[in-house]
Amino acid sequence: MKAVLGFLFLFFIGLSTQAQDKKAKDLLDKVTAKVKSYDNITIDFKYSLNNAKENINQDSRGSVVMKGNQYVLNFMGITKLFDGKKTYTIVPEDEEVTISTLNEKDDSAITPSKMLTFFNKGYNCSMDIVQNVSGKKIQYVKLVPTNTKDQRKEILVGIDTKTNNIYNVIEVAKKGTKTTLTVNSFKTNQALPKNQFTFVASKYSNYTITKLD
């Protein structure tokens, strides 16, 4: 779930990197500007994890709704809701809800509140290949971590050159694992329910609710 959140924030938040390639930086700036122009974003996505050496091939689907620093993520049967202050993790299979308060001082936490700074440093960026996917021209930008201890070899961000929206994000680990998040449906400025990002406890009266802090 944490890995998916990291990918999603990369999608919706926009990308700020150390500019090693002006064309790449300019393209990422366009993506950031486009993302900021939306009031809210709703996406259905496919998440794939592959490791040829370990013979691992897993595909999952999910959805996310984001507005400002709030979001609702549905993935692998779990719902994660962030109302701007608290995170609610809802697990229907176990009939459990855990509630935690956002720790603004936790630099390792991947949260919407850090959306403009999370990728602000630690990467070299450059233009990569162009692919035609179902009639779309996808330009890839490569992000390479500058920290040699980082377990990721590179991140490839696929951008639809017509819309300046992100089509997919491919993360390649040094040990060979590759994870890919691909957008199946991208909708913006939808009419959202007033309680879209509100946890309604009465809906989970039979659940065990645990407050972590």
Side-chain angles (χ1 to χ4, degrees), residues 80 85-91 96-103 208-213:
K80 202 173 189 72
K85 294 182 179 180
K86 295 182 180 294
T87 300
Y88 303 82
T89 303
I90 305 164
V91 187
E96 291 182 350
V97 176
T98 56
I99 305 173
S100 58
T101 303
L102 173 65
N103 182 2
T208 299
I209 299 179
T210 304
K211 295 182 179 180
L212 300 181
D213 45 30

Side-chain angles (χ1 to χ4, degrees), residues 9-145:
F9 294 144
L10 185 61
F11 263 84
F12 307 115
I13 293 165
L15 303 159
S16 296
T17 62
Q18 294 174 335
Q20 305 298 318
D21 183 313
K22 187 176 186 303
K23 287 184 177 180
K25 180 61 167 58
D26 288 346
L27 182 55
L28 295 178
D29 286 345
K30 289 181 180 179
V31 173
T32 301
K34 193 68 178 289
V35 168
K36 288 182 177 180
S37 71
Y38 300 131
D39 178 66
N40 60 69
I41 299 173
T42 301
I43 284 186
D44 291 329
F45 62 87
K46 177 182 177 181
Y47 181 81
S48 300
L49 186 152
N50 307 99
N51 187 314
K53 292 183 180 179
E54 301 294 335
N55 195 28
I56 298 174
N57 289 284
Q58 299 176 351
D59 290 332
S60 304
R61 294 183 181 276
S63 65
V64 65
V65 180
M66 296 187 72
K67 178 182 174 67
N69 69 337
Q70 301 172 310
Y71 67 86
V72 178
L73 169 66
N74 291 291
F75 184 66
M76 299 184 71
I78 298 174
T79 296
K80 202 173 189 72
L81 183 154
F82 180 67
D83 63 7
K85 294 182 179 180
K86 295 182 180 294
T87 300
Y88 303 82
T89 303
I90 305 164
V91 187
E93 183 177 355
D94 299 329
E95 295 189 336
E96 291 182 350
V97 176
T98 56
I99 305 173
S100 58
T101 303
L102 173 65
N103 182 2
E104 296 285 358
K105 295 182 180 180
D106 184 0
D107 291 332
S108 66
I110 302 174
T111 66
S113 64
K114 297 178 180 180
M115 58 189 181
L116 297 179
T117 60
F118 183 73
F119 291 98
N120 193 44
K121 59 182 180 179
Y123 296 91
N124 293 328
C125 66
S126 61
M127 297 292 273
D128 204 81
I129 65 172
V130 177
Q131 289 185 340
N132 289 314
V133 181
S134 301
K136 298 178 180 179
K137 182 180 178 182
I138 307 300
Q139 170 68 63
Y140 282 90
V141 173
K142 180 187 293 186
L143 305 178
V144 178

